[in-house]
Amino acid sequence: MINLRKNIYSGKKILFVIAVLGLLMSSCGNRKYVMPTCTLPSGVNIEEALDHSREDLGHLQCETMFDSYYRRLIDVAKRDPGMENKRRFSEFLEWANAEGIIDKIQARSYYNRYFNTTFISLSDDFNVCSSCSETTQKEIELQLEEELRQKEEGLLRACRDKNAYYAAADQYNSILLLLDATCTACRK
Amino acid sequence: MPKLKNIESGVRRRGRRFYWILVFFAVFAVGEGEISAAAKQSPTIRLFPTNVVENIKHTGQAAKAMEEDLQDVIDRLNQQEELYLASKCEGAEAEQGCSEIASQLGQTYMEMLNLMETRLPGMEDSVRATSTSLETRIRKELGRKTTPRGLQKLLERTPQDSTDSRRYKRRSGRLSEKFRQYYKLVAMGPRTGSGGSLAAVAAEIYLDTQEVQDLIALTRDEISRAKLMIDLDQAYGIITPEMFEMVGRVKTILFGETGEEEGIPGPPPGNAKAEYQSPLEM
């Protein structure tokens, strides 16, 4: 009699646990919990690569790989260049922001680093003199150099926008000149 | 009677309060007007006040005077050097012809050193004055008032001419010509309203004056050393590699005769405007 009661009690327990698990799984709504395969896009067609990335990044597990996806998309765009790529990447980043994969600041950073002449590495918080210790100045210069390389990939290679890239390169030269002179004056 | 007095003082107090309220509103209105007017205007970067412009002009004149003085002696030195090398006198200094050329070279060299020694201090003072005045302006206007992003915004405000993309490249050539060009740029600059290019010009002049100051200091040291060596050795007639190096250094200061660095190539001619503008653009 006691054993029968124990069995009924443990059966109820198991049912309760299963019910809780079921509820938890269904509460995740639209997010797919089927084990996704996060495969980075490849090929020579940027539209297809963007569709593939949207599909993959729709899964929670792939979201953390956004940066790798973005870099790979740039590589694909270099093999499928054109001015249209600016709009495509902008729309992709806006979509990623709307989906909550990246925030607005990240979206801006990703776009401007590759597709705009403005250098996002330059801070707007403190005055120039406060960025003039030798190590900070060197860091800024390295970041600017890296960003110019990214603009080369985005503007020149992926969009074939020579004018914009050369304008960015010109600005890079002028910024270095201004930074050099201003920091020399600040340090004295 | 005291009641009347009370009423009178009450009216006066109220009148005074009304007066202060009026003053407050007047001040507030004027202040707000100023603030909104200031907000509408972009920040003014004042890098070239009159004293800086005058210093640049003076440095150009000092450089020109020095160049004119030295041009003749340097030409002679060049000719004698060419003759010395063409006659294959290196290693054959004992031969009569060679020792004569060497002696003439030594005398001309000494003449150059003396001339430089007289002219350099004035030149150094002038360059230092330009450098110091510009340094103060750059530190205040670009260093303290501007952020790194602001530096770029300043450059973006300058209308870009697609055919003249290398405008910020360091100028080379004669020192006096450089400063003459600088003077022309800064004297005309404020009228054309090109804040960004003026900032770049200021940076360029400032870095140039730093470089020239270093070179002048180095040259003055070298002059003292060379003269001491000549005094000690009575070295007329002995051609040393240092002599040629010295002449080279003088030429660098005055005529900018050095190898030029290649910058990033300019854009191809065409419309610089991008066709697509993203809402993410900054």
Side-chain angles (χ1 to χ4, degrees):
Chain A
M1 195 64 182
I2 293 165
N3 273 346
L4 188 70
R5 265 192 195 165
K6 264 185 185 172
N7 280 344
I8 292 167
Y9 181 69
S10 60
K12 274 182 183 171
K13 243 184 178 177
I14 290 164
L15 273 173
F16 178 73
V17 171
I18 290 169
V20 168
L21 278 173
L23 271 172
L24 274 175
M25 282 177 80
S26 62
S27 69
C28 287
N30 293 332
R31 296 289 188 194
K32 294 158 192 167
Y33 262 84
V34 211
M35 277 305 278
T37 48
C38 304
T39 45
L40 295 178
S42 56
V44 289
N45 188 316
I46 186 65
E47 281 290 3
E48 279 174 17
L50 283 165
D51 287 345
H52 168 97
S53 304
R54 280 194 182 100
E55 174 80 30
D56 276 14
L57 290 167
H59 301 295
L60 267 175
Q61 278 85 345
C62 303
E63 277 186 12
T64 49
M65 292 171 70
F66 182 84
D67 193 63
S68 310
Y69 273 86
Y70 193 78
R71 280 166 205 270
R72 186 59 77 85
L73 283 171
I74 295 281
D75 285 340
V76 176
K78 285 195 286 190
R79 279 178 271 156
D80 188 8
M83 282 290 220
E84 266 296 281
N85 284 339
K86 277 189 195 180
R87 186 187 51 78
R88 288 183 180 126
F89 273 86
S90 174
E91 284 171 3
F92 173 72
L93 289 166
E94 282 177 273
W95 167 84
N97 172 233
E99 289 292 309
I101 301 166
I102 52 168
D103 61 38
K104 192 89 180 167
I105 295 166
Q106 286 173 304
R108 279 200 181 131
S109 171
Y110 274 117
Y111 183 81
N112 288 288
R113 273 178 185 283
Y114 287 88
F115 299 104
N116 193 12
T117 52
T118 304
F119 282 83
I120 200 115
S121 320
L122 294 168
S123 84
D124 207 16
D125 302 323
F126 303 103
N127 66 17
V128 181
C129 280
S130 57
S131 317
C132 280
S133 73
E134 272 178 35
T135 42
T136 318
Q137 195 191 338
K138 193 81 206 152
E139 264 172 38
I140 295 175
E141 285 172 7
L142 287 173
Q143 284 165 6
L144 282 172
E145 197 182 326
E146 170 65 9
E147 199 176 329
L148 184 66
R149 197 193 55 73
Q150 289 167 329
K151 289 183 196 310
E152 185 185 332
E153 282 193 81
L155 290 171
L156 192 66
R157 312 260 175 248
C159 296
R160 291 252 187 273
D161 189 350
K162 287 184 183 175
N163 283 322
Y165 171 69
Y166 285 121
D170 200 31
Q171 291 235 350
Y172 167 80
N173 271 339
S174 306
I175 293 166
L176 285 190
L177 174 72
L178 283 184
L179 204 63
D180 191 10
T182 310
C183 281
T184 310
C186 288
R187 281 199 288 265
K188 289 202 172 175
Chain B
M1 266 312 260
K3 234 181 186 180
L4 196 69
K5 265 187 184 173
N6 274 347
I7 292 165
E8 229 174 283
S9 67
V11 168
R12 234 179 267 156
R13 235 181 289 140
R14 241 173 278 148
R16 225 177 287 153
R17 207 181 294 157
F18 179 68
Y19 168 77
W20 281 115
I21 289 169
L22 266 182
V23 168
F24 172 76
F25 274 112
V27 169
F28 180 74
V30 170
E32 200 184 34
E34 272 173 14
I35 291 164
S36 60
K40 275 174 198 165
Q41 286 170 354
S42 54
T44 318
I45 303 286
R46 202 158 171 262
L47 287 164
F48 292 103
T50 327
N51 68 321
V52 178
V53 179
E54 281 306 308
N55 282 336
I56 293 168
K57 190 179 176 184
H58 185 253
T59 304
Q61 287 166 346
K64 191 161 179 62
M66 190 163 143
E67 275 165 23
E68 281 168 0
D69 275 3
L70 280 164
Q71 186 65 64
D72 170 58
V73 74
I74 285 178
D75 284 348
R76 263 189 290 141
L77 261 176
N78 277 341
Q79 283 167 6
Q80 285 163 351
E81 187 188 333
E82 273 171 30
L83 184 67
Y84 185 80
L85 295 173
S87 311
K88 295 192 169 44
C89 287
E90 279 170 303
E93 290 87 0
E95 282 183 30
Q96 204 193 343
C98 287
S99 73
E100 262 178 42
I101 301 171
S103 164
Q104 282 170 3
L105 233 167
Q107 278 171 24
T108 320
Y109 179 65
M110 193 65 181
E111 202 181 319
M112 188 197 80
L113 291 183
N114 287 332
L115 251 172
M116 291 286 284
E117 204 174 32
T118 340
R119 281 290 190 179
L120 272 181
M123 182 72 204
E124 195 175 24
D125 289 346
S126 180
V127 173
R128 193 186 296 122
T130 305
S131 181
T132 311
S133 55
L134 257 176
E135 190 175 280
T136 315
R137 299 310 297 184
I138 288 176
R139 188 166 48 229
K140 189 182 168 202
E141 300 289 328
L142 300 179
R144 294 195 183 132
K145 274 191 190 173
T146 319
T147 62
R149 179 82 53 83
L151 287 184
Q152 188 178 18
K153 282 181 191 153
L154 198 65
L155 293 165
E156 279 170 354
R157 282 213 297 267
T158 314
Q160 293 281 318
D161 181 357
S162 61
T163 54
D164 184 20
S165 64
R166 283 207 247 171
R167 77 175 73 197
Y168 303 130
K169 198 168 165 287
R170 302 284 291 276
R171 285 162 180 82
S172 60
R174 281 171 182 270
L175 194 64
S176 63
E177 182 56 27
K178 255 192 211 186
F179 277 88
R180 198 182 65 81
Q181 281 179 20
Y182 287 150
Y183 176 70
K184 264 173 72 181
L185 276 171
V186 297
M188 283 163 60
R191 279 193 290 276
T192 54
S194 47
S197 67
L198 272 186
V201 169
E204 202 177 316
I205 302 175
Y206 175 61
L207 290 177
D208 253 2
T209 54
Q210 294 283 305
E211 202 180 322
V212 170
Q213 275 188 99
D214 289 347
L215 276 168
I216 288 176
L218 206 68
T219 310
R220 287 184 75 178
D221 284 351
E222 287 293 315
I223 289 172
S224 308
R225 201 177 65 88
K227 288 189 84 171
L228 184 70
M229 290 302 286
I230 289 167
D231 284 346
L232 288 175
D233 296 346
Q234 288 295 301
Y236 285 96
I238 299 172
I239 307 295
T240 60
E242 285 85 7
M243 282 169 70
F244 294 130
E245 271 176 37
M246 181 66 173
V247 178
R249 209 166 285 152
V250 171
K251 282 189 205 166
T252 309
I253 297 175
L254 293 173
F255 311 119
E257 292 176 10
T258 49
E260 286 182 25
E261 280 177 40
E262 272 301 306
I264 292 172
N271 188 7
K273 278 183 185 166
E275 283 173 11
Y276 171 74
Q277 194 158 15
S278 161
L280 294 170
E281 259 177 38
M282 292 186 73

